[in-house]
């Protein structure tokens, strides 16, 4: 469906080539295919040539690609090179540095002289997404401990009592008072769960179990294996030194009543449930998960079977929903809409989700309906194209950010190509969700690159990569329509405009499954 339809390639297809059109006015319309042929004709002819060590070759494909494939025995590690031909193409058209859009700009206000939107810088787009999400405070609900698992705390977790609530024995053995030897008192043992006991007189000992309440005046606990009793079982001694407080867990050792145990927005894990129960909670105040709906666009998509007759399998329907769920989102549905503008409009305006995601249709092709639908639905376009490769046609729109009643709602338009859509999930969706959940952007995870990597002249590049001995290694199959690289990746390396040198530190965007979310 149009130029941003989900072009989920078959295994035999090569990595697609993207071209970037000039921002300068053109004397006549130029189609994408015409521009590609012009660029191809203008580029110098280059043949394969060894790099001097007989291991690497530079492969210039017919579609204008510029990929220097490093032949690595690991079969997943790759590129040094510009796989989509951007460097040479942009050198020809002389594209200008993109400028950032501002909150509330319409598509026309953010357009350059060609009428195309100016891409927003990648880091600015992520900041914009977080800021937009913070405009919608999370809904809060009081639920039982069992129901709170996997949610975020809506308020700090504050201890309702001391932990432990009284002095307890850390070991099975004998509670003693004063220096030994000690006379044994009582015929039984102090057990966990029993109430207050009488004070223990100096020079006395009483048998005690782990977790039992320490009797008043007791000064230490002698472990069973360190204790000796006489034949009549009347006197206790030990061959080890005894210190005051030995093997006693004092009241409030872990926390005092009123101590903050966890901040708001902390994830409720099984360990948190145990701590909350120990600290006196029966229920927790949690932030209700944002609701999301996924709308898959494209008449060319199949939901089952093998590709045939120009039809291809939908890869994003199975991918996007679980990705959102891994981020703590309640996915209320995934629907295949096709290339129907009216159906898309109805789906958008009637959705009960806080966030609607569309796949494809964000460009300006004949069946790219997302922009017209957003305009008709009265949405405010916050981000319209991002200076990132792959995935630059992504967008973020919202309703209700400027008041007027009701909670704000959001729509993120993802590109239709699979890896480009993953780029949109990492660039706009995850930051937006963190804002909706009251969370900041995570601190960057920075790792050095093992080898130099060319960059786009003006755009950020996101490249699937793996960690090898503390360094990042880029992976093959990083084309916009490919998922093979990200399947094997530890994350996506953020390559700034101009590229990076060997050993230079770059940010690594973690994937939900790598985070253990």
């Amino acid at each position: 469906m149009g130029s941003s339809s989900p072009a989920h390639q078959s295994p035999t297809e090569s990595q697609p080539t993207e071209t970037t059109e000039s921002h300068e006015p053109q004397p006549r319309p130029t189609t994408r295919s015409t521009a590609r042929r012009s660029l191809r004709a203008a580029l110098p002819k280059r043949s394969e040539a060894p790099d001097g060590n007989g291991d690497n070759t530079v492969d210039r494909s017919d579609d204008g690609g510029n990929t220097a494939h490093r032949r690595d025995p690991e079969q997943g590690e790759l590129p040094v090179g510009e796989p989509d031909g951007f460097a040479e193409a942009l050198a020809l058209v002389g594209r200008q540095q993109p400028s950032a859009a501002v909150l509330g700009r319409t598509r026309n206000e953010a357009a350059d002289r060609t009428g195309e939107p100016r891409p927003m810088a990648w880091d600015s787009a992520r900041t914009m997404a977080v800021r937009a999400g913070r405009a919608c405070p999370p809904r809060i609900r009081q639920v039982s401990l069992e129901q709170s698992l996997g949610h975020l705390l809506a308020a700090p977790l504050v201890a309702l009592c001391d932990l432990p609530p009284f002095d307890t024995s850390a070991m099975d053995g004998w509670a003693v008072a004063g220096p030994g030897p000690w006379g044994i008192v009582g015929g039984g043992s102090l057990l966990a769960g029993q109430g207050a006991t009488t004070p223990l007189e100096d020079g006395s000992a009483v048998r005690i179990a782990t977790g039992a309440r320490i009797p008043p005046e007791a000064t230490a606990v002698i472990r069973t294996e360190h204790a000796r009793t006489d034949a009549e079982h009347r006197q206790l001694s030990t061959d080890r030194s005894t210190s005051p407080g030995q093997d006693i867990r004092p009241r409030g050792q872990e926390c005092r009543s009123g101590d903050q145990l966890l901040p708001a927005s902390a994830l409720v894990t099984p360990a948190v449930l145990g701590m909350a129960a120990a600290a006196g909670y029966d229920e927790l105040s949690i932030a209700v998960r944002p609701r999301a709906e996924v709308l898959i666009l494209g008449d060319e998509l199949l939901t089952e079977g093998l590709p045939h007759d120009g039809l291809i399998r939908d890869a994003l329907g199975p991918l996007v929903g679980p990705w959102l769920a891994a981020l703590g989102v309640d996915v209320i549905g995934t629907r295949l809409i096709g290339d129907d503008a009216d159906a898309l409009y109805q789906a958008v305006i009637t959705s009960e989700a806080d966030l609607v995601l569309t796949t494809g249709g964000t460009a300006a092709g004949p069946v790219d309906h997302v922009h017209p639908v957003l305009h008709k639905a009265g949405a405010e376009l916050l981000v319209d194209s991002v200076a990132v490769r792959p995935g630059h046609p992504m967008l973020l729109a919202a309703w209700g950010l400027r008041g007027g009643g009701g909670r704000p709602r959001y729509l993120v338009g993802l590109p239709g190509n699979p890896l480009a859509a993953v780029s949109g999930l990492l660039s706009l969706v995850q930051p937006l969700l963190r804002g909706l959940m009251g969370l900041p952007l995570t601190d960057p995870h920075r790792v050095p690159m093992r080898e130099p990597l060319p960059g786009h002249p003006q755009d950020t590049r996101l490249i699937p990569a793996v960690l090898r001995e503390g360094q990042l290694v880029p992976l093959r199959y990083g084309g916009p329509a490919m998922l093979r690289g990200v399947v094997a990746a530890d994350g996506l390396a953020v390559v700034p405009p101009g590229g990076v040198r060997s050993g230079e530190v770059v940010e690594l965007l973690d994937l939900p499954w790598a985070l253990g979310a």
Side-chain angles (χ1 to χ4, degrees), residues 417-488:
N417 280 319
L419 187 58
V422 167
S423 175
L425 289 168
L426 292 167
S427 301
L428 291 181
V429 176
Q430 290 186 203
L432 175 66
L433 290 173
R434 292 192 71 82
L436 283 169
M437 296 174 180
L439 301 170
L441 278 175
T442 54
D443 292 334
H445 180 198
R446 300 190 182 279
V447 187
M449 292 295 302
R450 191 176 75 177
E451 56 196 43
L453 195 62
H456 187 281
Q458 295 153 346
D459 295 352
T460 298
R461 292 180 66 196
L462 303 183
I463 299 177
V466 291
L467 287 165
R468 293 286 186 269
E469 298 179 348
Q471 293 183 310
L472 274 180
V473 181
L475 292 173
R476 299 180 60 185
Y477 308 108
M482 301 179 182
L483 287 175
R484 190 170 172 183
V486 75
V487 164

Side-chain angles (χ1 to χ4, degrees), residues 220-493:
V221 170
I222 308 297
R223 301 184 186 189
T224 300
E225 59 269 29
H226 298 161
R228 304 287 184 269
T229 59
D230 60 12
E232 290 79 22
H233 202 69
R234 293 180 180 178
Q235 192 173 66
L236 178 78
S237 61
T238 181
D239 55 4
R240 299 181 177 233
S241 61
T242 302
S243 58
Q246 174 179 296
D247 286 328
I248 292 177
R249 295 178 182 146
R251 175 177 180 171
Q253 182 184 46
E254 184 171 4
C255 66
R256 289 290 184 180
S257 179
D259 285 353
Q260 179 174 305
L261 305 177
L262 286 171
S265 299
L267 178 66
V268 179
T269 64
V272 171
L273 293 180
M275 176 182 286
Y281 284 88
D282 300 319
E283 296 181 332
L284 290 176
S285 180
I286 55 99
V288 177
R289 290 171 176 158
R291 297 168 298 177
E293 185 173 17
V294 183
L295 306 179
I296 306 296
L297 312 183
D299 287 342
E300 74 277 22
L301 300 178
L302 297 169
T303 57
E304 59 183 16
L306 293 174
H308 62 86
D309 301 324
L311 302 177
I312 57 176
R313 282 295 297 269
D314 166 39
L316 293 180
L319 182 152
V320 176
W323 190 298
L324 296 173
L327 297 175
V329 175
D330 181 10
V331 182
I332 64 176
T334 297
R335 290 192 278 164
L336 180 60
I337 299 295
D339 290 325
D340 187 327
D342 292 335
L344 176 59
Y345 174 75
Q346 288 299 320
V348 168
I349 65 171
T350 60
S351 177
E352 296 181 355
D354 302 301
L355 169 62
V356 174
L357 287 92
T358 60
T359 64
T362 55
V367 288
D368 289 337
H369 301 306
V370 174
H371 281 102
V373 164
L374 290 174
H375 178 73
K376 182 178 179 181
E380 184 177 11
L381 201 54
L382 306 179
V383 177
D384 189 5
S385 183
V386 177
V388 65
R389 307 286 170 152
H392 63 282
M394 67 183 73
L395 61 82
L396 168 62
W399 294 263
L401 288 183
R402 301 182 184 277
R407 291 176 58 81
R409 295 177 57 238
Y410 304 88
L411 183 144
V412 173
L414 299 174
N417 280 319
L419 187 58
V422 167
S423 175
L425 289 168
L426 292 167
S427 301
L428 291 181
V429 176
Q430 290 186 203
L432 175 66
L433 290 173
R434 292 192 71 82
L436 283 169
M437 296 174 180
L439 301 170
L441 278 175
T442 54
D443 292 334
H445 180 198
R446 300 190 182 279
V447 187
M449 292 295 302
R450 191 176 75 177
E451 56 196 43
L453 195 62
H456 187 281
Q458 295 153 346
D459 295 352
T460 298
R461 292 180 66 196
L462 303 183
I463 299 177
V466 291
L467 287 165
R468 293 286 186 269
E469 298 179 348
Q471 293 183 310
L472 274 180
V473 181
L475 292 173
R476 299 180 60 185
Y477 308 108
M482 301 179 182
L483 287 175
R484 190 170 172 183
V486 75
V487 164
D490 292 318
L492 266 65

Side-chain angles (χ1 to χ4, degrees), residues 20-23 32 95-102 105-121 362-365 371 381-389 391-396 458-459:
T20 306
E21 297 175 354
S22 172
H23 280 208
R32 188 174 295 271
R95 182 175 169 181
Q96 297 176 354
Q97 177 69 26
S99 61
V102 296
R105 275 191 179 178
T106 65
R107 188 168 190 248
N108 288 336
E109 289 172 331
D112 63 15
R113 287 176 290 172
T114 66
E116 289 300 314
R118 294 177 182 174
M120 182 180 288
T362 55
H371 281 102
L381 201 54
L382 306 179
V383 177
D384 189 5
S385 183
V386 177
V388 65
R389 307 286 170 152
H392 63 282
M394 67 183 73
L395 61 82
L396 168 62
Q458 295 153 346
D459 295 352

Side-chain angles (χ1 to χ4, degrees), residues 109-162:
E109 289 172 331
D112 63 15
R113 287 176 290 172
T114 66
E116 289 300 314
R118 294 177 182 174
M120 182 180 288
W122 179 75
D123 52 355
S124 298
R126 284 167 58 83
T127 300
M128 175 71 75
V130 172
R131 189 186 310 156
R134 288 176 184 160
C136 183
R139 293 180 292 271
I140 297 174
R141 183 179 301 160
Q142 199 80 8
V143 298
S144 67
L145 292 182
E146 294 79 7
Q147 292 174 315
S148 67
L149 182 65
H151 290 269
L152 301 180
L153 292 174
L157 186 70
V158 176
L160 303 180
C161 63
D162 295 342

